[in-house]
């Protein structure tokens, strides 16, 4: 089994030097990365002095593939939980708090899988002896790449859905406030007009002036309310 390498790269890849080719493989947690050298149709583990057989190399590929598979299942379960937002509008606070972190994690994971897949594709081409053994793992890595791309899109879809809900709520509140202001504006005008401290004011000589003005305000309010209600129904 390969040991930890001293290489600082955090992405998988297939590389070339003047004397040999090598593949560098990054695991999901990057706790243990692997380097295999291909020279004169032989495989070396980490350096040119430690020869290994193809089964060790394939074993590492299998291990990394399994780690990626488990990580994908974790993200799938997490996204399915958040997608309950579509049927329960009250349950989106946690997602809003986690959105940036989740987006970063999935994008980083997507980048890691993409490089892993590309490394396997090149290795298949450059090392014909390993082509058959790598075929299934390369295919699976390609599927992982597509799945994680889909997950990234699903995260953005959930976020867009929540933003739509919030925008609808804000617009509805603004609409309600606008309607209230529009209803109260004529009433404010009437009360301001009849509240002026001047002589000869309209209806000031009538005994039932207050009742008349109140009735007029009530009728005005009802008419405006009906007009806004009809307009609202028409918009629907």
């Amino acid at each position: 089994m390969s040991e930890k390498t001293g290489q600082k790269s955090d992405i998988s890849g297939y590389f070339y030097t003047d004397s040999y080719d090598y593949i560098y493989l990054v695991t999901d947690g990057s706790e243990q990365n692997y380097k295999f050298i291909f020279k004169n149709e032989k495989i070396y583990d980490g350096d040119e002095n430690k020869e290994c057989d193809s089964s060790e190399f394939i074993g590492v590929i299998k291990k990394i593939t399994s780690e990626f598979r488990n990580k994908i299942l974790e993200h799938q379960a997490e996204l399915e939980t958040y997608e309950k937002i579509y049927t329960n509008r009250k349950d989106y606070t946690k997602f809003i708090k986690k959105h940036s972190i989740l987006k970063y994690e999935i994008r980083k994971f997507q980048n890691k899988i993409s490089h892993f897949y590309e490394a396997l594709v090149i290795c298949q081409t450059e090392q014909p002896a390993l082509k058959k053994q790598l075929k299934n793992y390369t295919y699976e890595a390609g599927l992982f790449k597509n799945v994680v791309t889909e997950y990234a899109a699903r995260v953005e879809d959930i976020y867009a859905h929540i933003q739509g809900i919030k925008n609808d709520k804000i617009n509805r509140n603004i609409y309600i406030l606008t309607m209230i202001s529009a209803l109260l504006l004529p009433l404010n005008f009437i009360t301001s007009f009849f509240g002026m401290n001047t002589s000869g004011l309209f209806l000031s000589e009538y005994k039932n002036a207050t009742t008349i003005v109140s009735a007029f305000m009530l009728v005005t309010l009802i008419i405006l309310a009906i007009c806004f209600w009809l307009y609202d129904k028409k918009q629907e």
Side-chain angles (χ1 to χ4, degrees):
M1 187 64 67
S2 176
E3 298 178 356
K4 290 183 181 180
T5 70
Q7 193 154 335
K8 299 296 184 182
S9 176
D10 59 351
I11 60 173
S12 299
Y14 192 94
F15 304 95
Y16 303 89
T17 68
D18 293 336
S19 57
Y20 59 81
D21 299 351
Y22 70 93
I23 188 170
Y24 186 71
L25 302 171
V26 178
T27 58
D28 175 47
S30 294
E31 296 175 356
Q32 185 175 9
N33 301 329
Y34 302 89
K35 177 181 178 182
F36 289 94
I37 295 172
F38 304 102
K39 184 177 181 181
N40 300 326
E41 298 184 356
K42 293 181 180 180
I43 305 175
Y44 297 89
D45 185 358
D47 58 62
E48 296 180 69
N49 299 318
K50 190 178 179 182
E51 186 177 348
C52 65
D53 56 31
S54 61
S55 62
E56 290 186 61
F57 173 64
I58 296 300
V60 169
I61 299 294
K62 183 178 180 180
K63 175 179 179 293
I64 296 175
T65 303
S66 178
E67 289 180 1
F68 285 156
R69 187 186 301 110
N70 292 335
K71 190 67 175 180
I72 283 175
L73 292 175
E74 288 179 17
H75 282 309
Q76 179 180 339
E78 189 173 17
L79 285 174
E80 287 176 352
T81 299
Y82 288 133
E83 283 174 337
K84 292 179 181 178
I85 292 167
Y86 292 132
T87 56
N88 183 6
R89 291 192 172 191
K90 296 180 180 180
D91 191 28
Y92 59 75
T93 307
K94 290 183 180 179
F95 178 82
I96 290 296
K97 292 180 179 178
K98 185 75 185 294
H99 171 253
S100 298
I101 298 173
L102 183 61
K103 180 180 178 180
Y104 168 76
E105 288 177 350
I106 289 181
R107 291 296 185 188
K108 185 178 179 181
F109 186 50
Q110 181 183 20
N111 183 60
K112 193 173 291 186
I113 287 182
S114 296
H115 284 93
F116 178 69
Y117 168 71
E118 291 168 6
L120 293 186
V121 170
I122 297 173
C123 188
Q124 269 192 300
T125 303
E126 297 293 339
Q127 305 298 326
L130 297 172
K131 185 173 183 178
K132 187 175 181 180
Q133 293 173 282
L134 289 173
K135 184 177 180 180
N136 288 336
Y137 297 108
T138 304
Y139 175 75
E140 194 169 5
L143 291 179
F144 291 167
K145 178 183 175 183
N146 294 334
V147 168
V148 177
T149 300
E150 178 194 342
Y151 286 178
R154 285 167 66 181
V155 169
E156 293 309 307
D157 287 344
I158 296 172
Y159 183 75
H161 177 71
I162 292 173
Q163 290 301 111
I165 293 174
K166 294 173 72 175
N167 289 337
D168 288 345
K169 187 175 181 180
I170 291 172
N171 291 337
R172 188 65 183 174
N173 290 339
I174 292 174
Y175 176 76
I176 292 172
L177 290 174
T178 302
M179 293 300 100
I180 293 174
S181 299
L183 289 171
L184 294 179
L185 182 62
L187 304 183
N188 288 334
F189 173 76
I190 293 171
T191 54
S192 299
F193 178 79
F194 285 100
M196 292 187 297
N197 189 20
T198 58
S199 59
L201 192 64
F202 177 64
L203 295 178
S204 60
E205 303 298 328
Y206 285 83
K207 181 179 179 180
N208 297 321
T210 301
T211 303
I212 295 172
V213 172
S214 299
F216 178 73
M217 291 174 63
L218 180 61
V219 171
T220 302
L221 181 63
I222 293 172
I223 292 173
L224 288 173
I226 292 173
C227 290
F228 285 128
W229 180 77
L230 291 174
Y231 176 79
D232 194 45
K233 293 289 288 184
K234 185 178 180 181
Q235 293 299 312
E236 292 178 0

